[in-house]
Amino acid sequence: VDLAYIKFNNSGRWTFEIYQSETISYSEEWINKLKNAIHFRKSELEELNVTYTKLLASIISEFISKHQLTQIDAVCSHGHTILHQPQNGFTLQIGNLPLIQDLLNQTIVCDFRVQDVQLGGQGAPLVPIGDELLFSEYDYCLNLGGFSNVSFNENGNRIAFDISPVNTVLNSYANELGFPYDDAGNFAKSGNINQDLLQQLNDLEFYALPYPKSLGMEFVNAKIFPLMNSYSIDVKDKLCTFVEHIAIQIANICSKPNAKLFITGGGAYNRFLIERLRNYLPTTELVIPDDKTIQFKEALIFGFLGVLRLRNDINVLASVTGASYDHSSGKIYLKK
């Protein structure tokens, strides 16, 4: 669970400051519960929702007392996604029950995705409104996580979509070398590009599809791993080739000359990937912010979504989710 204590200001334009931030790991037991919850029956899910809401409240409560936080306008909480089937008009994030207000005795803003799905949207991505209002000086906001995703303005509309897999693939091959991830991209840097594999990766159908579009592990398991594992080459060569592939795909999208590209997510620490991006985007200014912003941008933006909701301002963009109109989403449980 990512937690951040943030102050937002609006004097003509939005600014923010992250004062405290922390990531709290789940116990092994909770990791297993959350992984398996997709298979739970309705009654089991209802019970899990209650116990998870209690867990979340205790984590938030501990964060508040540890940092002696006294000035709190609201706790803005995403919860944990268990089921996401927007095509069937359904999404479930547990931890958003009214019980959380009783336990914390704070104003709560939560459950941000449900309304968008009811309005015919995907319920995602929700981050682009934050890119639009908090990071408007950048031409592109790029997140390098399990997948790379981007948001930018096009003809007056915010556009956002997934570009390619990133750490879902790189971490998997680093695991083969006995490491959780490829630190700074050093293994990839020591490998060589396999041009045939690179060509086949770049020729995958997904990259030619128009946006909006998104990626999941299904794509990685069905398309990426079988292709890469059909090559009997060194793991470092696979890493090197895949980093090149990521850089090419990002450069294809973020192609405006003399642009400013804002980069967050774990991949921002992959120096070799950043180096290859610079190679393909020579006139682009790549901006990598401070550690707090890299690591807590999602927490920051869900806090911001809550602030917008309390003001009844638009916090979900139809141009991004496909909903029937822009709207202000999220449930509010007022402090008693």
Side-chain angles (χ1 to χ4, degrees):
V1 181
D2 287 340
L3 301 115
Y5 180 56
I6 306 154
K7 181 178 182 180
F8 292 98
N9 258 310
N10 186 3
S11 42
R13 60 159 293 187
W14 284 102
T15 56
F16 67 89
E17 191 164 345
I18 302 174
Y19 288 111
Q20 305 289 349
S21 54
E22 205 174 332
T23 297
I24 305 296
S25 301
Y26 290 121
S27 66
E28 203 60 45
E29 183 192 355
W30 267 107
I31 289 171
N32 291 329
K33 266 189 207 173
L34 295 172
K35 271 186 182 169
N36 295 321
I38 194 167
H39 308 298
F40 281 14
R41 293 191 304 272
K42 189 167 184 279
S43 60
E44 291 175 307
L45 271 180
E46 285 167 358
E47 189 188 332
L48 180 72
N49 203 348
V50 172
T51 54
Y52 183 77
T53 300
K54 288 177 180 172
L55 172 75
L56 210 46
S58 70
I59 289 171
I60 295 166
S61 182
E62 214 164 293
F63 180 77
I64 290 170
S65 23
K66 178 180 172 181
H67 298 289
Q68 299 176 328
L69 310 180
T70 52
Q71 290 182 287
I72 300 172
D73 296 304
V75 172
C76 311
S77 179
H78 174 268
H80 183 89
T81 301
I82 297 292
L83 301 168
H84 187 63
Q85 300 165 11
Q87 69 282 9
N88 301 322
F90 184 73
T91 185
L92 171 66
Q93 284 72 44
I94 59 171
N96 293 322
L97 296 173
L99 170 67
I100 195 167
Q101 197 287 321
D102 299 332
L103 295 169
L104 289 171
N105 193 29
Q106 299 285 349
T107 291
I108 309 289
V109 192
C110 61
D111 226 0
F112 293 99
R113 299 187 190 273
V114 172
Q115 180 174 293
D116 190 71
V117 171
Q118 288 167 349
L119 291 172
Q122 291 288 306
L126 299 186
V127 167
I129 186 75
D131 291 342
E132 172 94 17
L133 297 176
L134 298 177
F135 303 106
S136 57
E137 66 269 39
Y138 303 103
D139 297 284
Y140 300 100
C141 288
L142 176 71
N143 182 62
L144 298 172
F147 299 89
S148 56
N149 50 65
V150 70
S151 91
F152 55 91
N153 262 324
E154 186 176 79
N155 305 324
N157 285 324
R158 195 79 190 175
I159 304 294
F161 56 92
D162 287 344
I163 300 177
S164 72
V166 181
N167 293 330
T168 45
V169 174
L170 299 180
N171 291 356
S172 176
Y173 288 109
N175 294 168
E176 287 188 20
L177 296 169
F179 292 85
Y181 58 91
D182 182 3
D183 187 22
N186 289 329
F187 287 134
K189 190 170 185 167
S190 68
N192 296 301
I193 294 168
N194 182 296
Q195 293 296 342
D196 288 345
L197 173 56
L198 181 62
Q199 183 68 53
Q200 282 195 274
L201 286 166
N202 289 331
D203 285 345
L204 286 169
E205 183 192 6
F206 175 83
Y207 301 116
L209 295 174
Y211 50 78
K213 55 183 177 176
S214 61
L215 287 165
M217 275 312 293
E218 298 87 344
F219 174 80
V220 174
N221 290 329
K223 302 287 183 188
I224 302 285
F225 287 146
L227 174 56
M228 292 185 70
N229 294 337
S230 70
Y231 281 76
S232 302
I233 57 174
D234 192 88
V235 173
K236 290 175 185 175
D237 295 345
K238 287 180 181 176
L239 283 165
C240 183
T241 304
F242 203 77
V243 164
E244 198 74 5
H245 167 63
I246 296 165
I248 288 169
Q249 292 307 323
I250 291 170
N252 285 345
I253 300 299
C254 305
S255 56
K256 194 168 127 185
N258 306 310
K260 283 179 89 170
L261 173 62
F262 185 67
I263 303 175
T264 53
Y269 296 110
N270 188 319
R271 288 200 291 271
F272 181 55
L273 173 53
I274 301 301
E275 188 184 301
R276 297 313 298 148
L277 268 177
R278 286 206 167 95
N279 172 67
Y280 285 106
L281 297 168
T283 69
T284 298
E285 184 188 344
L286 305 190
V287 181
I288 297 171
D290 60 284
D291 283 350
K292 272 187 187 171
T293 309
I294 290 175
Q295 293 166 23
F296 292 93
K297 184 177 172 225
E298 283 228 325
L300 161 74
I301 290 185
F302 275 94
F304 185 54
L305 289 176
V307 170
L308 294 175
R309 178 70 188 98
L310 287 168
R311 292 161 54 98
N312 212 24
D313 290 348
I314 285 165
N315 65 0
V316 182
L317 299 170
S319 63
V320 168
T321 67
S324 45
Y325 53 85
D326 293 347
H327 54 102
S328 189
S329 186
K331 288 184 182 144
I332 301 172
Y333 307 130
L334 289 171
K335 184 174 180 172
K336 290 173 180 144

